[in-house]
Amino acid sequence: MNAGLPTENILELDDVHVFYGAIHALKGVSLTVREGEIVTLIGANGAGKSTTLRAINGLNHARRGSIRFQGNDITTATPHTIVKGGIAQSPEGRRLFPRMTVIENLEMGAFQRTDRENFQADMDRVFELFPRLYERRTQNAGTMSGGEQQMCAIGRALMARPKLLLLDEPSMGLAPIFVEKIFEIVREINAQGTPVLLVEQNALMALDAAHRGYVMETGRIALEGEAAELKTNEAVQKAYLGLE
């Protein structure tokens, strides 16, 4: 599935160690995301997937190892610097501003941008990807369904014009029809040129959408490879795909 994709790395984690106090949460994680790719990170609860994203976006700094984005070291950069540099995240649990409208939430995604002339075009792009959001644009975000809120969270991240999009559990708690739609849109975002690093409990959907994948176990990368190969791996099938 990688045929025709560029091989240049946009993101590189090299031997990253993260601690929560005395707890060693990430134990030497190394991974890459190339231009044009969807890369997925799968694993059980507590494996370290969300902590990996927190290390990338600057919320938990690595104690050892390095993180490079577009060739620049961002290991100790602040979260707002990282967002300004081109990494945006749709967080686990969505974290919208519930009493603000859809449009106001989307505007918050563009908070650090200075190119206001492109603002409306990006808002239009979000509404093209998520027509439901256009219908709900003046509605308070907290009154929408879970699927609509997830669309709004992804749209807010896109308003930052990211060069890399981090998605943390986008299908969590959603009805199957919304799960299908969210993954369809993730593919479309990627097809429009945005690389994606996807953390997802629904391993089958994630591997279907991704070009490559990493399997995390207790803070380490246990397996990596082409998504299609991981789908046929016996250990992955038993542990994450519900196949015997």
Side-chain angles (χ1 to χ4, degrees), residues 2-243:
N2 260 344
L5 282 173
T7 57
E8 186 177 338
N9 293 335
I10 188 170
L11 178 73
E12 299 173 87
L13 276 66
D14 182 26
D15 192 32
V16 169
H17 294 253
V18 170
F19 290 77
Y20 293 113
I23 298 169
H24 197 172
L26 296 186
K27 305 165 185 174
V29 169
S30 297
L31 61 82
T32 60
V33 179
R34 301 173 191 141
E35 290 279 6
E37 281 190 317
I38 299 175
V39 173
T40 189
L41 198 51
I42 62 174
N45 280 334
K49 305 184 302 296
S50 292
T51 300
T52 301
L53 295 190
R54 290 174 68 85
I56 295 165
N57 65 28
L59 291 173
N60 286 108
H61 285 146
R63 194 177 293 183
R64 282 164 43 201
S66 67
I67 302 172
R68 300 183 71 80
F69 176 63
Q70 293 190 312
N72 299 310
D73 192 321
I74 61 166
T75 314
T76 59
T78 59
H80 72 270
T81 302
I82 290 167
V83 172
K84 201 166 188 177
I87 298 178
Q89 179 169 341
S90 174
E92 181 182 352
R94 302 182 275 276
R95 307 284 179 91
L96 296 176
F97 300 97
R99 296 183 183 179
M100 294 168 65
T101 66
V102 167
I103 284 181
E104 289 167 339
N105 270 275
L106 294 177
E107 287 172 345
M108 291 302 291
F111 183 74
Q112 291 201 89
R113 286 177 52 180
T114 55
D115 60 328
R116 306 304 288 181
E117 68 276 8
N118 297 314
F119 181 87
Q120 190 57 52
D122 289 334
M123 185 79 76
D124 291 343
R125 177 198 177 200
V126 170
F127 288 144
E128 282 173 20
L129 285 166
F130 303 105
R132 188 76 65 96
L133 290 185
Y134 183 75
E135 296 168 12
R136 303 279 193 269
R137 63 192 181 281
T138 59
Q139 188 171 326
N140 284 0
T143 65
M144 298 194 300
S145 72
E148 291 163 346
Q149 289 187 30
Q150 185 61 63
M151 292 175 180
C152 192
I154 295 173
R156 180 179 61 185
L158 290 175
M159 287 300 294
R161 276 209 164 184
K163 297 165 188 168
L164 173 66
L165 177 62
L166 308 181
L167 296 178
D168 194 356
E169 304 287 5
S171 78
M172 182 180 283
L174 301 189
I177 190 168
F178 270 118
V179 173
E180 293 276 358
K181 185 65 179 171
I182 290 295
F183 275 94
E184 186 181 307
I185 290 164
V186 169
R187 290 188 189 94
E188 178 60 27
I189 290 166
N190 179 247
Q192 291 177 4
T194 305
V196 177
L197 179 57
L198 168 67
V199 163
E200 178 55 57
Q201 283 264 285
N202 189 329
L204 184 59
M205 293 291 286
L207 291 171
D208 274 341
H211 300 95
R212 292 188 302 115
Y214 294 86
V215 180
M216 287 199 82
E217 291 178 2
T218 59
R220 293 184 171 89
I221 301 295
L223 282 170
E224 62 180 279
E226 301 290 312
E229 292 172 5
L230 290 176
K231 269 179 69 178
T232 61
N233 180 286
E234 191 175 337
V236 173
Q237 289 183 340
K238 284 183 178 178
Y240 306 108
L241 305 184
L243 303 174

